[in-house]
Amino acid sequence: MSESDDTTGQMSDGLQVELFHPESDREPGDTNIRRLGFDVHPIVFPISLVIIVAFVAATIALGDQASTVYTDVFNFINGTFGWFYILAVNLFIVTILYFAVSKYGNIRIGGVEAEKEFSDFSWMAMLFSAGMGIGLMFFSVAEPMWHFGSGASEFMVVPPTFGAEGGTAGAASAAMAQTFFHWGFHPWAIYGLVGLGLAFFSFNRGLPLTFRSIFWPLLGERIYGWPGHVIDLVTVFATLFGLSTSLGLGVAQINTGLSYVGGDILGLVSVPTGTVPQVILIAVITGIATASVAAGLEGGVKRLSTFNLYLMFTMLAFLLVVGPTVYIFGTFADGLGAYLGNFLSMSFFTGTIGGSAALGGYTVKSWMGSWTVFYWGWWIAWSPFVGMFIARISKGRTVREFVLGVLFLPAMFSFLWLATFGGSALWVELAGGGGIASAVANQGQTVAMFAMLSKFPLGAVTGLLATLLVVTFFVTSSDSGSLVVDHLTSGGKHDVPKVQRVFWAITEGAVAASLLIGGGLSALQTAAITTGLPFAVILCLMCYTVYLGLDNEYEILESEQFQERIQDMTAEEDVDITKAGGDVVTDVKGGADPEGSD
């Protein structure tokens, strides 16, 4: 599929349009302003731009005070709304599983005639690269080390839901369970719910690929008015700041990687670390991202996503071979067992009861804010970006196939990755002489991956590969985020000018840089949970609107009018009909399998 004939994201035609699309004369982007090479929504784009510029200017103008403001906001949201984040994310995982196992799981995204546009491997590669690549690189060693509670720092403590003593084998098991929890089924349930809603209302209903479309069952034509504008504006900010959090963490790790490998391991060059070098790195890597995003989904994002996956497999296989192989697989099994065994207690723990109790350098409540509440806010803020990107590439898959693919396969790969890298670090601490926890305590979480790799053969080479992988994840995340924000600010149009995609890639880099200048990690965390809060409310309501949409689709599939149309098709041409339960049609194909079908 070339850039010129890219059909990704186009609406279904034929039968789907006749019976399933709502009666409306509106089209995506039909009121857009087209000037200076831009094609933008007249309300969402300018308001988004004004608020973003004001935010960047205020952050820079506040200087040192910005960090204090971000910390106060973070503490307020954690203390007041942490419980809401916990309950909301559990609602999302129950909802997405219900859609998969119920009769709605047979509904095909794009309609019964829709075909898959990407192979399963390409789909999984793009899905995972967009999902959490930078975060896994940053936290896969840092988080288990932090929860191991070795005593290297008063803030490195065993999670409060476990009673293990820090620095012991029990603490290692608890550390892996808590890390699996933060990177497992819950975040991918959020992504899956958002992606399903966007894909369904765009491909099955022919509505714009924006968040406002998901609320058609409640708002109808009003999605094109101010209620829809507000929904898309909140989505733009959640996307931009969730993405900026990932980019900020990524560039901090790149900076540390270059410094640690070049100075501490090779002794060749002392690369400075800090805000200024990281802002420079953001500028350089954003420049690379703009070139990639201009190449489009097929030319840029797909190729880099596939490269990322191959590079991840290479690093994973290498450490499995040269690292403590048996220990890694044992850690995978032990961590998964501890995760599943404590699933409910971790899922509903808010830290409210006894929240003021001391936990190392934290209180229990503040620990929840720094970890679980931050993660849930980050995933929610990140979900418009990941969800819209997943929706764009998922036409032709059934709801059940979509949910199982999004929810389970990336989570299982994440568990293997975490067990390999985090497990190797725990082995070093327990049986290999240690040194990683102390490096993290003294130099920060960004050094964790490189400190661990230095304990095994070819540490300098793997450290450079890890740095390269974070760079490419930075690029693919920026690429994908630019495409998503473009959809939101262009009225849901699927094809937008290249200059517009470049503009948003640069804007994302500018926001990430301003957050680093304004308060570092604290600012990044605050941006994620602050923008995630109003968006969590939208997602809760979205559970109901997606249900209404799927239920209406199923009613039409069962209707006499639809059955008559299917009978007419089979009488007029050679088609293959697939039914669920012997009654409901789920797939209509020509006599021969479509070219490129999975």
Side-chain angles (χ1 to χ4, degrees), residues 248-386:
L249 293 174
V251 80
Q253 190 173 30
I254 293 167
N255 187 194
T256 299
L258 293 173
S259 175
Y260 195 83
V261 174
D264 293 20
I265 298 180
L266 296 177
L268 297 177
V269 59
S270 178
V271 178
T273 59
T275 301
V276 174
Q278 289 167 18
V279 170
I280 294 173
L281 282 170
I282 286 178
V284 173
I285 301 173
T286 298
I288 300 173
T290 56
S292 175
V293 80
L297 184 66
E298 180 76 15
V301 179
K302 179 181 175 182
R303 291 177 182 174
L304 271 177
S305 297
T306 303
F307 172 77
N308 284 350
L309 203 61
Y310 283 131
L311 189 54
M312 287 190 79
F313 282 146
T314 300
M315 288 192 62
L316 184 68
F318 176 80
L319 195 57
L320 280 171
V321 171
V322 305
T325 307
V326 175
Y327 188 89
I328 288 171
F329 286 117
T331 299
F332 175 81
D334 184 79
L336 187 60
Y339 166 51
L340 295 176
N342 294 276
F343 186 82
L344 289 179
S345 61
M346 289 189 292
S347 296
F348 290 94
F349 182 76
T350 66
T352 301
I353 299 175
S356 60
L359 185 69
Y362 304 96
T363 63
V364 172
K365 190 72 172 178
S366 65
W367 182 92
M368 281 294 295
S370 297
W371 289 101
T372 304
V373 173
F374 159 64
Y375 271 129
W376 283 189
W378 185 16
W379 301 147
I380 290 170
W382 184 249
S383 67
F385 152 58
V386 181

Side-chain angles (χ1 to χ4, degrees), residues 220-256:
E221 290 279 353
R222 286 181 294 168
I223 67 168
Y224 297 105
W226 272 104
H229 300 338
V230 171
I231 291 170
D232 277 355
L233 282 168
V234 172
T235 308
V236 168
F237 299 134
T239 303
L240 197 63
F241 289 105
L243 179 61
S244 296
T245 299
S246 293
L247 299 185
L249 293 174
V251 80
Q253 190 173 30
I254 293 167
N255 187 194
T256 299

Side-chain angles (χ1 to χ4, degrees), residues 509-523:
V511 172
S514 68
L515 286 170
L516 286 173
I517 293 171
L521 179 60
S522 175

Side-chain angles (χ1 to χ4, degrees), residues 8-22:
T8 304
Q10 292 179 357
M11 307 306 175
S12 298
D13 52 14
L15 187 62
Q16 194 68 20
V17 173
E18 294 175 21
L19 299 181
F20 294 85
H21 285 200

Side-chain angles (χ1 to χ4, degrees), residues 26-44:
R26 298 298 300 268
E27 296 181 359
D30 57 2
T31 62
N32 281 7
I33 297 174
R34 298 170 181 85
R35 293 179 185 173
L36 302 176
F38 284 74
D39 186 352
V40 297
H41 191 276
I43 303 297
V44 177

Side-chain angles (χ1 to χ4, degrees), residues 429-444:
E429 290 299 306
L430 289 169
I436 301 175
S438 60
V440 172
N442 294 326
Q443 298 174 255

